[in-house]
Amino acid sequence: MRYVDHGAGGPPEVLRLAECAVPAPGAGEVLIEVAFAGVNRPDCAQRIGRYPPPPGASPILGLEVSGRVVRVGPGVDRWREGDLVCALTPGGGYAEYCLAPATHCLPVPPGMALEQAASLPETCFTVWDNVFSRAGLKPGERFLVHGGSSGIGVTAIQMAKAFGARVMTTVGTPEKAAFCRALGADLAVNYRDDDFVREAMAFTGDRGLDVVLDMVGGSYLARNLEALALDGRIALIAFMGGADATLPIPALLRKRATLTGSTLRPRTVAQKGAIARDLERHWWPRLAAGQGTPVIDRVFPWAEAAQAHARMESSVHAGKIILAVA
């Protein structure tokens, strides 16, 4: 099969098509003929050597795919050859064929194109686990997601609104603010022009935010806490703004705040399978009903993976970047 090779790592230009053997599914796995693969920031981090795959995972880039099941391994009962699925993968998505645990596969929602379905797994798994399972967002609560025009941000806005929250987001341009409002955000703050803490307090009538989903880290962590309500929760999933932060402990205690952090890829097969079951039960019916719509920024032929990575790293995109494989 062909796949996108990142060689010894480096800038996007190192990406090129190469060939290797087609993998065989083991117990509990399926082999997917990949139609589309989602592009995510962890792919860029792995390309430059900052995010190595966990033990036993494919060294090939790519954490989410859509396509057709072509083989099933021992012990797989649900899926059959020919089934159309989207899947969270431990790696290997930038290839003509990709292995995935059967429990990490989800049916393509009715009426949804495969290129849209490829944009679902990584963001939906991440948002559900952090915003709803860990931070416990409830209907009527005030929610902030930083980077609302990113893949995670787009999903977080739509999921939070669908489940009855009031949604605020931060963005870097007026165009991205309008984009997020069109998705359902009640307030989109341009962080280059306005102080999101002040805007958050106005948005909540000085009560503060109930839940913050933060992929920035760095100095934003203390500011998130400043904008938080009593018993508020912060879910930290990345540190694009810096890996180190100073946190005022008195404020943490005074607000009875909860700070949680997680990464998805190293979680166990069983843990990610449980997230998939929750998504299929709670979010997939809403997708089928049109309460959430995947937003595709751009689809690149997979031979242009370098351009796709360059666009991801430029942060000019709004929505998901997708590679067309088949």
Side-chain angles (χ1 to χ4, degrees):
M1 70 175 185
R2 292 179 298 164
Y3 72 100
V4 176
D5 181 32
H6 62 291
E13 291 73 30
V14 302
L15 298 176
R16 62 191 69 247
L17 294 181
E19 290 189 356
C20 67
V22 176
E29 293 181 324
V30 299
L31 181 67
I32 299 168
E33 184 180 31
V34 178
F36 297 91
V39 176
N40 295 281
R41 286 196 181 271
D43 302 339
C44 300
Q46 182 178 336
R47 187 200 73 233
I48 61 178
R50 294 181 182 170
Y51 194 56
S58 171
I60 297 172
L61 304 177
L63 301 175
E64 60 184 346
V65 300
S66 66
R68 180 173 61 93
V69 175
V70 291
R71 287 184 62 189
V72 298
V76 175
D77 297 321
R78 177 174 184 183
W79 305 109
R80 298 288 185 270
E81 292 181 11
D83 287 343
L84 295 179
V85 298
C86 57
L88 185 76
T89 76
Y94 291 15
E96 290 181 305
Y97 296 92
C98 177
L99 293 176
T103 54
H104 299 179
C105 298
L106 288 158
V108 174
M112 186 174 290
L114 282 173
E115 67 184 62
Q116 293 177 303
S119 76
L120 295 175
E122 179 72 14
T123 60
C124 289
F125 276 66
T126 298
V127 172
W128 182 265
D129 182 49
N130 288 278
V131 175
F132 295 94
S133 295
R134 291 176 172 273
L137 183 67
K138 301 176 183 64
E141 289 193 319
R142 277 74 168 173
F143 170 66
L144 165 64
V145 56
H146 290 296
S149 62
S150 67
I152 291 287
V154 166
T155 299
I157 290 170
Q158 294 190 70
M159 291 181 78
K161 285 296 291 186
F163 286 97
R166 292 192 63 207
V167 178
M168 172 182 169
T169 189
T170 59
V171 294
T173 68
E175 293 77 16
K176 287 186 175 182
F179 170 82
C180 291
R181 288 193 295 269
L183 287 175
D186 298 288
L187 175 65
V189 176
N190 186 337
Y191 62 82
R192 301 182 192 277
D193 298 330
D194 297 303
D195 176 15
F196 81 81
V197 175
R198 183 182 66 245
E199 295 296 326
M201 299 311 289
F203 176 63
T204 63
D206 288 326
R207 177 179 174 275
L209 299 159
D210 298 291
V211 175
V212 178
L213 180 63
D214 183 17
M215 60 196 84
V216 181
S219 63
Y220 268 42
L221 190 55
R223 299 177 69 202
N224 291 334
L225 181 58
E226 187 180 349
L228 210 61
L230 291 175
D231 299 308
R233 293 87 72 194
I234 300 171
L236 187 63
I237 59 171
F239 43 89
M240 293 173 59
D244 297 313
T246 299
L247 191 66
I249 294 176
L252 185 75
L253 301 178
R254 185 175 65 252
K255 294 197 173 185
R256 302 189 296 271
T258 299
L259 171 63
T260 180
S262 73
T263 55
L264 184 61
R265 194 178 192 184
R267 304 281 291 279
T268 67
V269 170
Q271 287 170 334
K272 287 183 276 192
I275 299 171
R277 291 193 299 272
D278 280 347
L279 284 171
E280 188 167 9
R281 184 181 306 116
H282 298 292
W283 183 233
W284 250 234
R286 293 176 184 267
L287 285 176
Q291 288 186 278
T293 302
V295 178
I296 307 300
D297 172 80
R298 189 164 167 186
V299 178
F300 288 85
W302 70 323
E304 298 177 11
Q307 291 94 315
H309 274 222
R311 185 168 180 82
M312 171 66 73
E313 292 175 346
S314 74
S315 294
V316 300
H317 62 291
K320 291 286 295 209
I321 298 170
I322 302 294
L323 294 180
V325 177

